[in-house]
């Protein structure tokens, strides 16, 4: 994690990281102002707080109340060496906690991350640099020795060279990448989480059989998502980029909207129109770009090459963003390698969906076949030794597809987790199934996997597939575990050179009668691509283009960001549109309008129902506000502080709307119950003196919305690189 420090007045310092700011000072006896804890005080407190966190997690998982649990820490200093200290953590437990849980709580404290880092002994590297932002990959701890040459199946260059190429590309873009966590809880199964230090919303996970392959995986996914603008999906790019020469790519094409809102000529081809507009319900306005929101420019479309004949077809960026998520994106050492990865994932997800929805029973992989891959088998056996039965299955459907499956059963909870992997190589597909299973997960995390069901409708509903796509935590059928298999085991092999593998995978899709569309993305200096297979690789249903399109943000974004500047008439129009929209009251505003707010602010927690309440209060429509406050309190999922505000609001509105009651008769008791500050804001909101309590003023310029501004700055790095490369001859 990158922590940036600013020097304030006297001895005060300011540390900024993620969305947080921490102020430190020194005691007056050390010439400070005593206005905040010292850095060392924060260090001491971090250990105690970390220990308490693990106690809380243990108790919460077992429904043990922490009301009467107390924890303290004292640091005992060696009089002869003040750097030699004992951290004495004591925990007071009530008598009704069992001996088993007492031991469990003590063991949980032993897991404290701060304690383990201190005990291991962190290494400090202190140096001067010309520019803090220049060393873009200084935090990629664990990079391999550049003199080594480690080849693995599926990569055309050694891992070391691949990592070096990718880190150089990120450095050229000005992306400062940090590793925030590593996992390696079973042999030969590694995973990690990396992110952009300046914009932590840009992150990826990597997995592999070694540290190097996992790092390579994470960096590759990061680069593929940069090339495909995936980190910025659904998000507002800001007015500057919205009105720039291009929004997504220099070769994009804009189609003007027609007076009758029909689909403009030149968008998609007949094959795609039959799929995406079968009932002629799709309008041009449905395809306006969400990122720019630029209705005047019309529809932004990206050129794709039709694989069958090489013709160029323009796909609206809105359609891609709404239906495909990250499916069909990849980066590699060359275009063929990228295409193999891309096509493998498309086939994996489509076959996985078919298996889950049709409740297909797969054949087990014989032990003599697994024995050919001892490093994979070691990871499987380690999970078995931890008490998790593992099923290894051939998901090729009789040798048709290069797909494997590893399924974990958790007897402690009755849950199961089905992981799939694909690649032309049987071994690579099997390894990916296993590493995907454990990516970023602890043994405790495996307690959260869902239970199987005999309810076929629960298995086949579209939302279940979305859950499987996002993190493989969807539901699977009990029928999947039947001994009566639907296919015979096949030890398939589609492997060859990257070019041969790419051709073979394209051939599978051609055999299914599917048109394939490819965009080669090289304007950031890497080999990346996006492949679309209409009516096969979509994640969300096609109907979402009409009924749940992300560009509904354009109906509300400007008004909500300009909330404090709207007239009463404009506010009334906004709340009427929200009421008539049939949007879920508990949709968060950040998702609705595509803005990344700080989660720790009222904006970051704001939902449609709360926005309606605040607008009704600003308009003096107290009855409408009271009705929604009651609903809000019944289903409130906001902070305790915000909930208390609305509890007080409910009381004040009840009194205000009752002709027989007077607020002055209750204000003393209300002040004692809710606090004077809360009541001043509640009463002020009811009288109109306080408008939109807790919401800081902003506008379409996004002032004060630091997380989103950082996201835009991240995107501008890509935009500038594409602009610089646009005129170069490829």
């Amino acid at each position: 994690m990158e922590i940036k420090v600013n020097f304030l007045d006297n001895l005060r310092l300011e540390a900024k990281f993620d969305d947080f700011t921490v102020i430190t000072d020194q005691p007056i006896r050390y010439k400070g102002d005593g206005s905040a804890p010292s850095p060392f005080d924060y260090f001491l407190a971090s250990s105690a707080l970390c220990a308490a966190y693990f106690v809380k997690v243990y108790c919460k998982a077992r429904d043990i109340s922490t009301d009467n649990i107390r924890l303290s820490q004292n640091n005992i200093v060696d009089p002869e060496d003040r750097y030699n200290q004992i951290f004495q953590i004591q925990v007071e437990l009530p008598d009704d906690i069992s001996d088993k849980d007492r031991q469990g709580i003590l063991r949980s404290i032993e897991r404290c991350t701060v304690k383990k880092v201190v005990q291991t002994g962190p290494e400090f590297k202190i140096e001067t640099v010309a520019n803090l932002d220049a060393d873009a990959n200084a935090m990629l701890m664990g990079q391999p020795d550049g003199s080594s040459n480690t080849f693995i199946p599926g990569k055309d260059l050694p891992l070391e060279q691949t990592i070096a190429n990718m880190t150089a590309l990120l450095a050229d873009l000005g992306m400062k990448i940090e590793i925030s966590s590593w996992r390696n809880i079973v042999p030969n199964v590694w995973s990690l989480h990396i992110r952009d230090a300046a914009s932590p919303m840009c992150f990826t996970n990597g997995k592999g059989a070694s540290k190097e392959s996992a790092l390579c995986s994470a960096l590759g996914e990061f680069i593929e998502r940069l090339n495909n603008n995936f980190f910025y999906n659904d998000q507002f790019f800001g007015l500057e980029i919205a009105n720039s020469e291009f929004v997504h790519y220099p070769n994009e094409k804009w189609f003007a909207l027609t007076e009758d809102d029909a689909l403009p000529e030149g968008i998609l081809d007949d094959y795609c129109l039959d799929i995406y507009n079968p009932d002629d319900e799709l309008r041009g306005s449905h395809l306006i770009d969400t990122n720019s929101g630029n209705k005047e420019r019309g529809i932004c479309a990206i050129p794709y090459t039709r694989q069958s004949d090489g013709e160029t077809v323009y796909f609206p960026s809105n359609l891609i963003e709404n239906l495909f998520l990250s499916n069909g994106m990849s980066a590699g050492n060359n275009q063929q390698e990228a295409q193999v990865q891309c096509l493998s994932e498309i086939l994996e997800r489509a076959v996985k969906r078919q298996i889950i929805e049709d409740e297909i029973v797969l054949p087990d992989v014989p032990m003599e076949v697994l024995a050919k891959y001892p490093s994979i088998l070691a990871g499987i056996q380690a999970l078995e030794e931890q008490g998790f039965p593992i099923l290894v299955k051939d998901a090729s459907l009789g040798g048709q597809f290069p797909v494997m499956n590893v399924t974990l059963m958790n007897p402690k909870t009755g849950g199961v987790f089905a992981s799939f992997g694909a690649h032309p190589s049987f071994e690579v597909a099997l390894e990916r199934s296993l590493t995907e299973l454990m990516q970023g997960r602890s043994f405790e995390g495996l307690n959260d996997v869902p239970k199987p069901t005999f309810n076929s409708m629960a298995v086949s509903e579209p939302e279940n597939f979305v859950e499987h796509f996002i993190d493989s935590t969807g539901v699977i059928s009990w029928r999947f575990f039947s001994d009566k298999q639907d296919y015979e085991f096949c030890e398939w092999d589609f492997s060859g050179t990257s070019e041969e593998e790419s051709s073979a995978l394209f051939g599978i899709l051609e055999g299914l009668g599917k048109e394939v569309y490819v965009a080669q993305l090289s304007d950031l200096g890497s080999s990346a691509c996006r492949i679309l297979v209409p009516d096969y690789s979509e994640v969300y249903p096609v109907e979402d283009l009409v009924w749940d399109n992300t560009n509904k943000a354009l109906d509300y974004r400007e008004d909500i960001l300009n909330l404090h500047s709207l007239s009463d008439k404009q506010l009334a129009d906004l709340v009427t549109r929200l009421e008539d929209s049939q949007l879920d009251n508990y949709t968060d505003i950040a998702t609705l309008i595509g803005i990344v707010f700080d989660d720790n602010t009222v904006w970051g927690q704001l939902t449609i129902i709360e926005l309606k309440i605040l607008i009704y209060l600003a308009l003096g429509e107290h009855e409408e506000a009271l009705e929604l406050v009651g609903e809000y309190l019944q289903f409130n999922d906001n902070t305790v502080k915000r909930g208390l505000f609305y509890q007080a609001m409910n009381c004040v509105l009840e009194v205000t709307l009752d002709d027989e009651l007077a607020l002055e008769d209750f204000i003393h008791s209300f002040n004692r119950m809710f606090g004077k500050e809360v009541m001043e804001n509640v009463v002020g909101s009811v009288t109109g003196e306080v408008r939109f309590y807790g919401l800081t003023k902003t506008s379409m310029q996004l002032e004060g919305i630091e997380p989103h501004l950082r996201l835009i700055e991240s995107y501008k790095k890509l935009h500038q690189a594409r602009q610089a490369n646009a005129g170069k001859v490829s």
Side-chain angles (χ1 to χ4, degrees):
M1 179 174 68
E2 183 179 41
I3 303 171
K4 291 189 174 179
V5 177
N6 297 317
F7 295 90
L8 306 180
D9 57 288
N10 197 13
L11 298 181
R12 294 173 72 243
L13 303 169
E14 175 187 74
K16 286 183 171 290
F17 51 94
D18 293 347
D19 294 326
F20 300 101
T21 299
V22 173
I23 304 293
T24 73
D25 200 351
Q26 292 291 333
I28 294 173
R29 66 181 179 275
Y30 295 141
K31 308 301 182 183
D33 299 316
S35 63
S38 72
F40 189 66
D41 291 338
Y42 277 114
F43 167 66
L44 294 176
S46 71
S47 175
L49 289 169
C50 185
Y53 162 75
F54 280 98
V55 171
K56 185 71 173 179
V57 168
Y58 180 92
C59 292
K60 190 173 182 180
R62 293 159 181 79
D63 292 324
I64 299 172
S65 172
T66 54
D67 290 349
N68 296 315
I69 295 177
R70 299 198 300 162
L71 184 145
S72 72
Q73 174 183 294
N74 292 286
N75 61 309
I76 303 169
V77 183
D78 185 336
E80 296 182 359
D81 181 1
R82 66 191 180 103
Y83 300 116
N84 181 26
Q85 301 190 14
I86 296 172
F87 287 19
Q88 185 179 53
I89 297 175
Q90 297 177 316
V91 58
E92 179 183 310
L93 302 173
D95 294 338
D96 59 354
I97 291 184
S98 68
D99 289 340
K100 178 182 176 182
D101 284 327
R102 287 172 181 271
Q103 292 303 313
I105 288 171
L106 292 178
R107 283 195 301 271
S108 73
I109 295 175
E110 289 292 334
R111 295 173 55 208
C112 169
T113 312
V114 175
K115 179 181 82 69
K116 288 191 173 184
V117 170
V118 172
Q119 287 177 326
T120 301
E123 178 184 352
F124 285 83
K125 295 171 65 178
I126 302 170
E127 60 187 3
T128 61
V129 294
N131 184 336
L132 283 175
D133 298 320
D135 191 358
N137 299 300
M139 291 178 286
L140 284 180
M141 182 178 174
Q143 292 189 66
D145 179 2
S147 63
S148 303
N149 282 302
T150 307
F151 284 91
I152 63 171
K155 292 293 177 187
D156 289 341
L157 289 177
L159 288 176
E160 295 80 5
Q161 184 61 53
T162 303
I163 292 170
N165 292 344
M166 290 190 288
T167 52
L169 184 147
L170 291 166
D172 289 344
L173 288 172
M175 295 280 181
K176 195 168 187 176
I177 307 301
E178 61 183 13
I179 296 176
S180 62
S181 66
W182 283 98
R183 292 274 187 187
N184 173 224
I185 60 174
V186 296
N188 310 314
V189 179
W190 288 83
S191 67
L192 75 160
H193 179 91
I194 67 172
R195 63 184 189 176
D196 179 357
S199 181
M201 297 80 71
C202 302
F203 66 86
T204 57
N205 300 303
K207 60 184 183 294
S210 67
K211 287 186 295 184
E212 292 79 12
S213 59
L215 178 58
C216 191
S217 166
L219 291 169
E221 186 171 290
F222 200 95
I223 289 171
E224 85 177 27
R225 296 189 173 204
L226 289 179
N227 277 277
N228 286 277
N229 296 342
F230 183 74
F231 291 133
Y232 319 97
N233 246 24
D234 308 339
Q235 305 299 330
F236 180 40
F237 282 165
L239 295 175
E240 180 185 342
I241 292 176
N243 294 292
S244 61
E245 184 179 351
F246 67 91
V247 171
H248 294 274
Y249 301 98
N251 63 350
E252 69 192 21
K253 187 174 181 179
W254 290 79
F255 293 82
L257 295 174
T258 62
E259 287 189 11
D260 62 355
D261 202 18
L263 294 182
E265 286 290 327
I267 282 184
L268 302 173
D269 58 13
D270 290 340
Y271 177 85
C272 293
L273 287 171
D274 286 342
I275 293 169
Y276 298 123
N277 192 25
D279 302 317
D280 201 30
E281 290 182 310
L282 190 62
R283 304 286 90 194
S285 56
H286 290 135
L287 300 176
I288 295 170
D289 181 54
T290 307
N291 299 120
S292 68
N294 202 328
K295 300 177 183 178
E296 289 71 27
R297 291 179 80 170
I299 300 169
C300 180
I302 314 299
Y304 279 72
T305 300
R306 192 165 56 205
Q307 183 70 12
S308 61
D309 59 8
E311 289 294 314
T312 298
V313 178
Y314 282 91
F315 280 78
S317 62
N318 173 283
L319 182 148
I320 299 169
E321 167 197 294
N322 270 279
L323 300 184
F324 291 91
L325 284 184
S326 63
N327 202 18
M329 303 185 329
S330 191
N333 288 302
N334 51 58
Q335 285 294 348
Q336 287 74 34
E337 186 182 295
Q339 287 179 358
V340 169
Q341 173 66 16
C342 199
L343 292 165
S344 295
E345 289 190 353
I346 287 172
L347 290 168
E348 170 200 319
R349 287 153 180 170
V351 171
K352 174 181 180 179
R353 181 171 194 161
Q354 181 184 350
I355 290 167
I356 291 169
E357 290 186 350
D358 295 348
E359 300 173 291
I360 294 173
V361 184
L362 301 175
D364 292 324
V365 177
M367 181 53 69
E368 59 267 23
V369 175
L370 284 179
K372 297 178 182 179
Y373 314 108
S375 64
I376 298 174
L377 187 57
I380 292 168
Q381 290 172 338
L383 286 170
E384 292 265 6
E385 289 167 5
Q386 289 291 329
F388 300 106
I390 302 296
L391 309 176
V392 183
K393 293 180 176 289
D394 166 26
S396 69
L397 304 185
Q400 297 179 76
F401 305 100
V403 185
M404 296 297 293
N405 164 261
V406 175
T407 297
L408 175 145
M409 306 174 75
N410 188 343
K412 298 176 185 175
T413 64
V416 296
F417 182 23
S419 174
F420 290 76
H423 190 270
S425 161
F426 186 98
E427 178 183 5
V428 174
L430 179 57
E431 180 186 285
R432 287 181 177 177
S433 300
L434 178 61
T435 54
E436 173 69 23
L437 179 75
M438 298 307 298
Q439 180 171 277
R441 289 181 173 85
S442 62
F443 289 130
E444 292 82 359
L446 294 171
N447 292 330
D448 297 329
V449 296
K451 300 172 178 61
T453 179
F454 280 107
N455 183 344
S456 297
M457 290 184 64
V459 169
S460 61
E461 67 174 0
E463 193 58 36
N464 188 47
F465 174 63
V466 175
E467 294 295 325
H468 274 289
F469 176 83
I470 293 172
D471 60 7
S472 297
T473 57
V475 178
I476 65 172
S477 172
W478 264 118
R479 293 175 177 83
F480 180 83
F481 298 94
S482 170
D483 288 334
K484 189 178 180 181
Q485 61 196 41
D486 292 316
Y487 291 89
E488 292 299 318
F489 169 73
C490 176
E491 193 173 358
W492 49 266
D493 183 15
F494 296 85
S495 62
T497 66
S498 289
E499 190 172 354
E500 290 169 342
E501 291 175 350
S502 174
S503 178
L505 298 180
F506 276 123
I508 292 174
L509 292 169
E510 183 181 355
L512 294 173
K514 302 297 180 183
E515 282 281 12
V516 180
Y517 302 81
V518 182
Q520 308 283 13
L521 305 171
S522 57
D523 51 9
L524 296 181
S526 61
S527 297
C529 66
R530 177 140 208 177
I531 298 178
L532 308 177
V533 188
D535 195 33
Y536 192 73
S537 65
E538 296 89 352
V539 176
Y540 285 108
V542 170
E543 304 85 67
D544 280 6
L545 288 174
V546 175
W547 302 110
D548 193 22
N549 197 302
T550 59
N551 73 9
K552 61 180 176 285
L554 309 187
D555 295 331
Y556 308 102
R557 180 187 288 158
E558 185 170 358
D559 281 346
I560 291 175
L561 288 174
N562 290 328
L563 188 66
H564 291 78
S565 305
L566 298 183
S567 66
D568 283 356
K569 182 179 179 182
Q570 290 170 316
L571 285 173
D573 176 64
L574 173 58
V575 78
T576 298
R577 279 185 282 128
L578 287 170
E579 293 284 18
D580 294 342
S581 68
Q582 298 184 336
L583 291 168
D584 187 333
N585 263 341
Y586 296 94
T587 300
D588 59 89
I589 295 300
T591 299
L592 175 65
I593 65 174
I595 299 292
V596 182
F597 295 105
D598 182 346
D599 286 340
N600 302 303
T601 64
V602 177
W603 275 114
Q605 298 285 328
L606 189 68
T607 55
I608 288 176
I609 189 172
E610 186 176 1
L611 178 61
K612 289 179 184 177
I613 293 170
L614 294 173
I615 294 174
Y616 281 134
L617 289 170
L619 294 172
E621 297 181 10
H622 296 151
E623 290 185 6
E624 289 81 356
L626 178 60
E627 182 179 348
L628 290 179
V629 167
E631 182 183 339
Y632 174 92
L633 290 173
Q634 188 174 1
F635 301 103
N636 171 45
D637 192 28
N638 208 318
T639 61
V640 173
K641 180 180 178 181
R642 204 67 181 167
L644 195 65
F645 171 80
Y646 284 107
Q647 189 179 342
M649 178 66 70
N650 189 72
C651 294
V652 171
L653 286 173
E654 289 277 14
V655 172
T656 301
L657 291 169
D658 192 322
D659 293 336
E660 297 181 2
L661 301 177
L663 186 58
E664 57 266 26
D665 294 338
F666 293 86
I667 200 70
H668 176 69
S669 294
F670 287 168
N671 281 338
R672 295 187 68 188
M673 174 65 80
F674 303 112
K676 191 171 182 180
E677 182 183 349
V678 170
M679 287 307 302
E680 286 176 352
N681 286 304
V682 168
V683 174
S685 297
V686 173
T687 62
E689 296 172 23
V690 175
R691 287 167 69 87
F692 313 115
Y693 170 62
L695 297 179
T696 54
K697 187 176 181 179
T698 187
S699 72
M700 287 289 282
Q701 300 297 331
L702 308 172
E703 64 270 20
I705 310 177
E706 287 302 318
H708 198 87
L709 291 174
R710 292 202 300 271
L711 189 72
I712 291 176
E713 284 304 309
S714 169
Y715 183 67
K716 282 182 177 178
K717 295 172 184 176
L718 311 186
H719 201 264
Q720 290 162 4
R722 288 175 175 137
Q723 202 163 34
N725 292 329
K728 295 180 180 178
V729 179
S730 58

